[in-house]
Amino acid sequence: MNWVEKDLQHIWHPCSQMKDYEDLPPIVIDHAQGSCLYDMNGNRYVDVVSSWWCNLLGHCNERVNHAVKAQIDRLEHVIFANFSHTPAINLCSRLSPLLPPGLTKFLFTDNGSSAVEAALKMSLQYHYQTGNPQKTRFMALSNAYHGETVGALSVGGVDLYSRIYKPMLMDIIRVDGPDCYRCPYEKSRDNCQTECFAAAEQALAEYADTVCAFIVEPLVQGAAGMKIYPPGYLKKLRQACTHYHVHLIADEIATGFGRTGKLFACEHASVSPDILCLSKGLTGGYLPMALAVTTQPIYEAFYADYSEGKAFLHSHTYSGNPLACSAANAVLSILQEERILETAAENAKYFRQLINDSLIRHKHVGEIRSIGLINAIELVADRAGKQPFASQRRIGYQIYKKALTKGVLLRPLGDVLYFNPPLTISREEMDFAVRVCRECICDVLE
Ligand SMILES: *Cc1c(COP(=O)(O)O)cnc(C)c1O
């Protein structure tokens, strides 16, 4: 039996209809280097989605590899209650000054969804312990994505992932968020005054008394199709949350670590959240680890004599794993010493131009949106009416399959194709990936 047959005998792959694997069997990867994956048959794939947005500095980066190998011979893991280790201590003391101001206290979890869960619980318990036990609900934007465990799924607004589970989800307050491509106010990016913020303002005015936190993906709603909205919206949200005594939770799990051109997307709006969630790029995409980082005032609401029962009891077995911390420390060193963001900014201009030049005239390209090295191409049936394709046609999926045969991993979000490559992608790789993308769009749609 070959590897593919053995895989299909036992493995239930994530985010997949397994029956699709009948005509697109799993691609068994043997090794990887930089932006490229190599399968067991020696085929190469340029990983322009950073293996689900987590690979930050290329696969098998020499310095990250070295750091993890060195750590594994000293300490692989230790209980993190009462015990600590230098990789975690170094990570937090190095990261704190790089974060939006005021974020000084670090709670470790082991994946993005669990960091979101921790942030939600932390906010609710803060209000409970500071005289507002009635503040128990959460607010979130339409089309939000915050992960897939029950709490995280509850605040998410992508129906595809949550529809079936509604009976087990929390009753949250959903706010119509920005939708710049199909702006209901018919504004363009040039004359936008974030009129759409009125919905959030109104919901806060109505419900703030019972709301503990508003969670948001700063600037880029990733899973919704890389929807990008202006910093002004986030600024207004920060002000309104402060006014209404509601925590702002910034989910930078996808946008953190340079993806939007700044180290953190919040910097574009010069705002600090009350709680910041980080994962994905945190370890360079090497090991699962996440953080919920918060402020001194929130921390202090939990700090009391044991008998008061105010501790935050949230824990995960692998909290603060030293191997993951060693990878994260290496990532920080590389970001600081190798001019990664500066080079990525230069390359972002090139990439954006290249994608625009190659695709903007295509009659099924509705919009191209870009921030940092993230570029998304929304395909539509009718460009003038911004009408989507019927979802049963699975246009994005057809293009994805075609691109795989040509050596590019371009896994779309519905009919939104996107590039969110390692920050270290080369111009040759960009040229190749965009050429393949264009060919595949033409093959499938003509
Ligand atoms: C990926 C992601 C999550 C969930 O992280 P997991 O590690 O997959 O649980 C949460 N929020 C955002 C914005 C993400 O992109």
Side-chain angles (χ1 to χ4, degrees):
M1 207 186 324
N2 67 27
W3 291 111
V4 168
E5 287 166 5
K6 279 194 200 171
D7 174 290
L8 291 174
Q9 200 163 54
H10 296 295
I11 297 180
W12 197 340
H13 289 271
C15 205
S16 299
Q17 170 50 263
M18 291 309 300
K19 190 161 189 287
D20 283 345
Y21 287 51
E22 287 176 12
D23 69 7
L24 179 60
I27 297 162
V28 185
I29 295 301
D30 178 68
H31 64 281
Q33 188 62 55
S35 304
C36 297
L37 307 168
Y38 299 87
D39 71 15
M40 305 286 288
N41 303 317
N43 297 309
R44 183 187 87 145
Y45 307 86
V46 182
D47 183 3
V48 295
V49 299
S50 298
S51 283
W52 265 343
W53 323 345
C54 65
N55 188 286
L56 194 71
L57 302 167
H59 294 272
C60 286
N61 177 287
E62 204 178 313
R63 290 181 72 180
V64 185
N65 284 10
H66 177 78
V68 177
K69 285 179 198 167
Q71 182 58 40
I72 207 167
D73 283 329
R74 293 188 73 88
L75 173 67
E76 81 303 332
H77 187 64
V78 61
I79 178 174
F80 208 50
N82 290 118
F83 290 80
S84 194
H85 47 78
T86 56
I89 299 166
N90 277 329
L91 177 62
C92 299
S93 47
R94 294 173 71 188
L95 202 46
S96 187
L98 302 176
L99 297 177
L103 297 164
T104 53
K105 296 292 180 186
F106 291 68
L107 185 102
F108 285 83
T109 72
D110 48 20
N111 63 74
S113 303
S114 64
V116 169
E117 303 281 349
L120 300 176
K121 288 170 66 182
M122 191 184 281
S123 175
L124 183 142
Q125 189 172 343
Y126 168 90
H127 289 291
Y128 181 84
Q129 288 171 184
T130 53
N132 289 297
Q134 78 290 356
K135 280 179 165 285
T136 55
R137 298 186 74 192
F138 299 96
M139 294 175 89
L141 296 179
S142 49
N143 293 311
Y145 180 87
H146 298 292
E148 303 195 29
T149 53
V150 175
L153 198 59
S154 300
V155 284
V158 182
D159 224 38
L160 175 68
Y161 303 118
S162 55
R163 185 177 47 90
I164 303 280
Y165 311 105
K166 288 271 149 72
M168 64 193 287
L169 300 182
M170 290 188 290
D171 178 26
I172 73 128
I173 298 155
R174 177 79 53 211
V175 173
D176 279 336
D179 186 1
C180 298
Y181 175 41
R182 297 182 175 85
C183 175
Y185 298 87
E186 296 181 8
K187 295 298 186 92
S188 71
R189 293 200 193 254
D190 301 324
N191 65 2
C192 162
Q193 300 195 296
T194 53
E195 287 82 354
C196 61
F197 185 73
E201 175 71 46
Q202 205 173 6
L204 278 162
E206 186 172 350
Y207 297 108
D209 289 350
T210 58
V211 170
C212 49
F214 200 130
I215 184 166
V216 66
E217 293 159 272
L219 267 52
V220 185
Q221 291 192 302
M226 298 292 172
K227 292 189 171 188
I228 299 171
Y229 64 89
Y233 190 95
L234 193 59
K235 238 188 185 89
K236 285 187 179 176
L237 184 59
R238 172 68 279 183
Q239 285 163 0
C241 283
T242 304
H243 178 76
Y244 287 106
H245 195 50
V246 165
H247 287 144
L248 178 63
I249 302 174
D251 176 354
E252 290 231 26
I253 290 166
T255 52
F257 299 95
R259 291 297 187 185
T260 66
K262 307 256 189 206
L263 199 51
F264 299 99
C266 282
E267 292 172 32
H268 291 277
S270 309
V271 302
S272 286
D274 299 289
I275 307 173
L276 174 71
C277 299
L278 298 173
S279 188
K280 294 201 166 104
L282 172 64
T283 64
Y286 267 62
L287 287 150
M289 182 167 77
L291 290 166
V293 194
T294 193
T295 62
Q296 197 68 27
I298 291 182
Y299 178 78
E300 278 167 12
F302 296 74
Y303 199 87
D305 285 333
Y306 179 81
S307 58
E308 291 184 45
K310 288 188 171 175
F312 191 46
L313 294 180
H314 190 98
S315 63
H316 293 282
T317 308
Y318 286 100
S319 296
N321 177 262
L323 298 174
C325 289
S326 70
N329 276 310
V331 166
L332 284 187
S333 298
I334 294 167
L335 287 174
Q336 288 173 325
E337 292 159 24
E338 298 186 20
R339 296 180 53 80
I340 300 294
L341 262 57
E342 291 84 348
T343 311
E346 286 302 310
N347 284 336
K349 284 186 223 155
Y350 176 83
F351 203 23
R352 183 178 191 160
Q353 190 70 47
L354 175 69
I355 290 170
N356 268 287
D357 291 348
S358 315
L359 294 169
I360 197 72
R361 279 176 301 277
H362 194 285
K363 69 172 192 277
H364 290 297
V365 170
E367 186 185 49
I368 299 177
R369 33 186 188 259
S370 314
I371 187 167
L373 277 172
I374 299 174
N375 287 272
I377 301 137
E378 180 155 345
L379 300 174
V380 289
D382 155 41
R383 191 159 148 149
K386 304 182 181 180
Q387 202 56 41
F389 285 104
S391 63
Q392 311 87 282
R393 288 185 65 189
R394 304 185 76 189
I395 298 292
Y397 183 67
Q398 308 303 332
I399 292 168
Y400 165 59
K401 286 204 292 186
K402 193 121 225 163
L404 284 171
T405 67
K406 296 176 187 253
V408 179
L409 166 42
L410 187 72
R411 197 174 195 275
L413 296 152
D415 293 337
V416 177
L417 307 173
Y418 69 90
F419 298 88
N420 185 10
L423 300 182
T424 50
I425 189 171
S426 71
R427 294 203 176 180
E428 293 73 34
E429 287 159 342
M430 293 180 213
D431 291 339
F432 174 74
V434 174
R435 196 177 74 233
V436 166
C437 176
R438 194 191 133 76
E439 285 169 11
C440 295
I441 292 175
C442 292
D443 282 0
V444 169
L445 287 172
E446 273 153 33

